[in-house]
Amino acid sequence: MRISDGVEWAVHVCGVLAAVPEGRGLPGAKLAEFHELPPAYLAKHLQALSRAGIVTGGRGAKGGYRLARAPSAISLLDIVIAIEGPQPAFRCTEIRQRGPCPAPPSACRAACPISRAFHAAEALWREALAGVTIAEMNAAAADESFDAKRRSQFRAWLVTALG
């Protein structure tokens, strides 16, 4: 299963937004700068997150993006669906009904073993993603890759970005 880079960026963005103080917003341009992304590319994903109710955006001095819900209420699956859409990754096209030895439609009333296997795997994948929140991701990242120096650098960047 291939997940677009947009999902990874969206998870990272939500992780950064989880650190934004209540009542404040972070400009999309600052989020793009932090992740070294073109602002237009990130804006597309921020719009998708906004449509899904994961982030909100505002204008003005206190404008910018912020999480629409608590980080503990946003799962990785919420973000995948916001960016990729709700459709399943595997879509059976009934290949077994083609070629020199096609199966008749009467033999294809039930899903084939290939389709069942992919759908079962995707159900497990979605269940796993639904069980991981932005809050949990941030806690794990802080434990695994944020030493005191990096924490200090992030806090300094955030204060500057918030203006």
Side-chain angles (χ1 to χ4, degrees):
M1 180 174 308
R2 172 87 167 96
I3 298 299
S4 73
D5 293 343
V7 170
E8 182 180 6
W9 291 118
V11 172
H12 279 279
V13 163
C14 288
V16 170
L17 291 177
V20 173
E22 184 78 28
R24 301 291 307 272
L26 199 55
K30 291 293 182 185
L31 285 164
E33 173 188 290
F34 183 80
H35 291 60
E36 297 182 345
L37 291 171
Y41 173 81
L42 188 58
K44 176 178 107 171
H45 298 302
L46 286 166
Q47 289 170 357
L49 292 169
S50 181
R51 281 190 303 273
I54 295 171
V55 303
T56 61
R59 298 192 187 277
K62 298 230 180 187
Y65 289 93
R66 63 188 62 78
L67 293 179
R69 306 190 300 260
S72 61
I74 300 170
S75 73
L76 295 184
L77 182 60
D78 294 332
I79 295 169
V80 168
I81 290 171
I83 302 299
E84 299 287 337
Q87 66 276 1
F90 177 78
R91 293 174 201 93
C92 181
T93 60
E94 283 300 344
I95 291 171
R96 62 188 171 165
Q97 292 184 33
R98 300 179 193 163
C101 307
S106 62
C108 301
R109 290 195 178 106
C112 73
I114 295 168
S115 182
R116 290 193 308 267
F118 277 103
H119 287 294
E122 184 164 354
L124 292 172
W125 175 76
R126 286 178 179 259
E127 181 181 334
L129 292 177
V132 180
T133 67
I134 291 299
E136 292 165 333
M137 293 300 299
N138 275 10
D143 288 345
E144 294 173 16
S145 62
F146 271 78
D147 58 13
K149 180 181 177 185
R150 191 160 180 231
R151 279 188 186 94
S152 177
Q153 289 172 325
F154 176 74
R155 282 192 294 267
W157 176 86
L158 186 60
V159 166
T160 303
L162 289 168

